[in-house]
Amino acid sequence: MKKALSIEEFYANDLKFTPDNLNSGIGHFNVFQLDEFASAKPKPMPYNRRDYYKISLVKGRARVHYADKVIEVDKQVLIFSNPQIPYNFEKIDEQLTGYFCLFTEAYFHQYGNIYSYPVFQSGGTPVFILEDEQADAFSEIYKKMFTEINSDYAFKYDALKNLVFDMIHTAMKLQPANLVTNHHSNASDRISSFFMELLERQFPIEHVNQKIKLRSASEFAEKLNVHVNHLNRALKETVQKTTTDIISDRILQEAKILLRHTNWNVAEIAESLGFEETAHFSNFFKKNTQNSPVKFRKAVVI
């Protein structure tokens, strides 16, 4: 897997300039019209991770390649991408239109944990196929972003944070009620947040010698200095899954990404994901997908 594309590389490759405030240490935000990146012979968007967050409203027929999935888009789609998961758009229509905003994690420092929202979590719902009326509502939020960022208002970047949250909450309300995070105790919230941060800190796997360190519920509990039963209760309360299930789901997702988008052999992938024996990895993968890693790699996954 290639190294994540940096925000500096995005500006250098696509816009040929670097904003003055990009490395200011206070975080970065910007918003664009997708049309600005259209050309007679546009370069294909690489399937890769980025080291920044991005929210895109894309209008037109396309395929969204996200993690281990391919999603067909007939009219318009909203997609939330984060530094842990690779993605790209494959154009079907000659011209795609829309908007996108991008920002670094530091931009939300002391303003809430942006990763705590399901749209940015590895097991959440990051892709929303939109009806016309829904797409119009998100377009209006982007238009407010353009008005705000071009203004002279001293606190415009705080106002822009509010517009990002407006977009997140508007999208989450499109999900069925039982998929939206339920109210739960602050203690469970904190434990779940720390657990998810520890888990995601082990990803992405970017080189063949990289290896995850924490794989079991007890290892995470020890690291968090809580009893494993306490950790399980907190996660069941907040995300309705056991610790083991969440860990397995994340390892499985990374396995699918590595099988589809690297040329590493199965033994190398197994070792990177913390399996002592390749056979153990193969059994784990087949149990969860009904396919061996080799068959999965050869298949077209939709």
Side-chain angles (χ1 to χ4, degrees):
M1 179 66 66
K2 293 180 181 178
K3 184 180 178 182
L5 181 73
S6 70
I7 196 167
E8 291 84 2
E9 289 171 321
F10 162 76
Y11 277 103
N13 295 340
D14 292 348
L15 297 175
K16 311 304 180 188
F17 79 95
T18 301
D20 293 337
N21 66 345
L22 188 58
N23 296 307
S24 63
I26 60 172
H28 179 75
F29 175 92
N30 213 339
V31 60
F32 303 92
Q33 282 191 294
L34 195 59
D35 313 54
E36 297 172 7
F37 293 81
S39 63
K41 292 183 178 180
K43 295 183 293 184
M45 181 180 179
Y47 180 88
N48 208 350
R49 294 177 169 97
R50 280 78 177 161
D51 75 351
Y52 49 88
Y53 291 81
K54 186 177 179 181
I55 308 173
S56 307
L57 173 62
V58 180
K59 300 178 181 181
R61 291 188 305 143
R63 292 185 187 91
V64 179
H65 298 258
Y66 190 92
D68 59 300
K69 300 177 178 63
V70 180
I71 300 165
E72 299 283 345
V73 179
D74 288 330
K75 293 183 70 177
Q76 53 243 340
V77 64
L78 185 74
I79 181 167
F80 293 80
S81 55
N82 65 63
Q84 281 74 35
I85 305 298
Y87 71 94
N88 78 336
F89 289 100
E90 178 187 346
K91 292 202 316 182
I92 297 176
D93 285 343
E94 185 67 25
Q95 177 66 53
L96 298 178
T97 62
Y99 311 93
F100 68 91
C101 64
L102 53 83
F103 49 91
T104 59
E105 188 169 356
Y107 179 62
F108 281 92
H109 182 57
Q110 296 184 333
Y111 204 87
N113 182 3
I114 196 70
Y115 186 74
S116 67
Y117 291 93
V119 291
F120 286 122
Q121 292 177 354
S122 60
T125 304
V127 180
F128 298 83
I129 304 297
L130 303 177
E131 301 295 336
D132 292 346
E133 186 176 332
Q134 295 167 336
D136 289 344
F138 286 108
S139 293
E140 288 303 313
I141 299 176
Y142 278 108
K143 290 174 184 176
K144 290 178 182 178
M145 287 181 174
F146 283 111
T147 299
E148 202 65 66
I149 204 167
N150 291 321
S151 74
D152 295 325
Y153 179 49
F155 299 97
K156 65 182 180 182
Y157 285 101
D158 287 339
L160 285 162
K161 291 184 180 81
N162 289 329
L163 289 171
V164 172
F165 282 124
D166 189 9
M167 192 170 295
I168 290 170
H169 290 294
T170 301
M172 287 173 59
K173 289 174 185 177
L174 300 178
Q175 300 179 35
N178 63 344
L179 292 183
V180 179
T181 304
N182 296 321
H183 293 292
H184 37 73
S185 71
N186 289 336
S188 294
D189 231 350
R190 286 195 299 272
I191 291 172
S192 298
S193 179
F194 289 142
F195 165 79
M196 294 303 297
E197 184 179 348
L198 267 182
L199 177 63
E200 287 299 337
R201 199 181 292 168
Q202 302 188 105
F203 303 99
I205 305 293
E206 294 183 320
H207 53 82
V208 74
N209 294 323
Q210 185 179 346
K211 183 177 179 179
I212 65 172
K213 298 287 193 289
L214 304 174
R215 289 194 66 246
S216 70
S218 59
E219 288 171 334
F220 277 94
E222 183 179 357
K223 197 77 172 177
L224 293 167
N225 198 27
V226 298
H227 193 279
V228 67
N229 293 341
H230 190 182
L231 176 59
N232 261 319
R233 281 196 299 271
L235 291 170
K236 286 287 285 185
E237 183 179 346
T238 55
V239 294
Q240 293 77 54
K241 287 186 177 182
T242 67
T243 312
T244 300
D245 286 344
I246 296 170
I247 297 167
S248 294
D249 288 349
R250 188 62 183 91
I251 290 174
L252 181 65
Q253 183 181 63
E254 195 72 10
K256 289 178 178 179
I257 291 170
L258 295 174
L259 286 166
R260 291 189 68 201
H261 302 288
T262 72
N263 59 1
W264 305 353
N265 63 45
V266 173
E268 290 170 329
I269 293 172
E271 186 173 358
S272 290
L273 295 174
F275 290 88
E276 293 183 2
E277 301 289 342
T278 305
H280 295 166
F281 169 66
S282 296
N283 291 337
F284 163 82
F285 194 88
K286 191 166 186 178
K287 177 183 176 182
N288 287 281
T289 67
Q290 288 71 57
N291 267 323
S292 70
V294 173
K295 285 185 178 178
F296 178 89
R297 174 170 264 171
K298 291 179 179 178
V300 177
V301 180
I302 302 298

